[in-house]
Amino acid sequence: MGERVVLERLTKIYAGGSRALDEVSIVIEPGTFLVLLGPSGSGKTTLLRSVAGIERATSGTITIGELMVAGDHLHLPPERRDLSMVFQDYALWPHLVARDNVAFALRRRNIRGERARELASSMLERVGLGHLGERYPNELSGGEQQRVALARALVADTGLVLCDEPLSNLDADLRERMRLEIASLVREAGATAIYITHDQAEAFALADVVGVLEHGQLVQIAPPEQIYSSPVSPFVARFTGLAGELAVAVVSDHSDGVATVAPEGLPSATRLICQRRRGSAGLRRGTLMIRAAALHLVGAEDPMGQLQGQISDVAFRGRGYEHAVTLVNGVQLSGIFSATRGRRGDRVGLRVDPNGAHLFGDAANSANDEEIPFDLSTGDAIEIDISKEFTTL
Ligand code: ADP
Ligand code: MG
């Protein structure tokens, strides 16, 4: 069964002085599939290698199940941590055939010989490689090698599986199939998983819980739906996918953290309703970050359209079309889905769902809070019936 994993104030400072992990604390409940998401250099690999015992943490503790594996002067080697790992570069033994690569992992369970080969073969069957057990790694494609690595990790039957960007060297089609296999095989095994990636779509698709890393700090940890609906910072919002950003002035505040804003550079009557996020309380200006899912194309003259612009790009996506729309202030909003194809150059309107429009204060804007280049006295535009606004969604 899956182990409970607890990291407390885990910190790693490399010899050169770079602080790769900065007091990261996480409690991972047994059987949870945790995905750590962050850009290159945010500390993902360092965190995974510290949990695995390949890297020695500078301070903080790591507990796996009942066992503290890292802490003050304590550092258990990888083989005493009851875990298995899948690496980006597969890391198979080149001199062993696929089946023996998998069978080797059974040594930690003291299973050897014929029994080990049987178990290895049946695990290779499960990852769809039953027929390739006698091949050496250099006789296998990247996807096949990664399947062998996955089989090796799962056959060990550990309570914790660690994956370091295992799909990043595979092509798109294979990546999606492997993602499904990893998700179902790891969950079937009941193991706790820590899986790291820089790919937001992969993180959202796999995770029970997503942790976002920025410069070695864990800045948000929550189910993917919550990260998407309530990003805690501009960094998290950007890293998890935006249609675009608008500089705005705050026109009025409503209860429940909802505000009405006026985007800069658009007709003065333009008003949008949005969610106030951390750091935007009391500010009169900020940045509106809009999820693509919150934008809906309507006709240019449609009164439901709150923003006006021109279609600047259309991409066929199989189940429909993604549009980019350039507003009159030059800002481009992209990823706007519609079942029907719009034409480049067409004038359109956009309806903005307040739930996917997030207002953040930002230091650059708040510095000269007083200069608001809008005529806020155009009272008629400010009077928006919010109840009506919400019920039409
Ligand atoms: P990620 O996996 O998110 O790309 P890493 O954990 O590999 O990030 O790296 C985090 C930071 O630590 C980076 O700034 C990186 O340059 C630094 N770093 C990683 N490994 C070492 C090392 N062996 N020595 C010094 N600095 C390192
Ligand atoms: Mg890495």
Side-chain angles (χ1 to χ4, degrees), residues 14 18 20 39-47:
Y14 282 108
S18 100
S40 174
S42 58
K44 303 182 297 297
T45 294
T46 302
L47 187 143

Side-chain angles (χ1 to χ4, degrees), residues 249-260:
V250 179
V251 177
S252 61
D253 262 313
H254 313 296
S255 53
D256 302 335
V258 174
T260 299

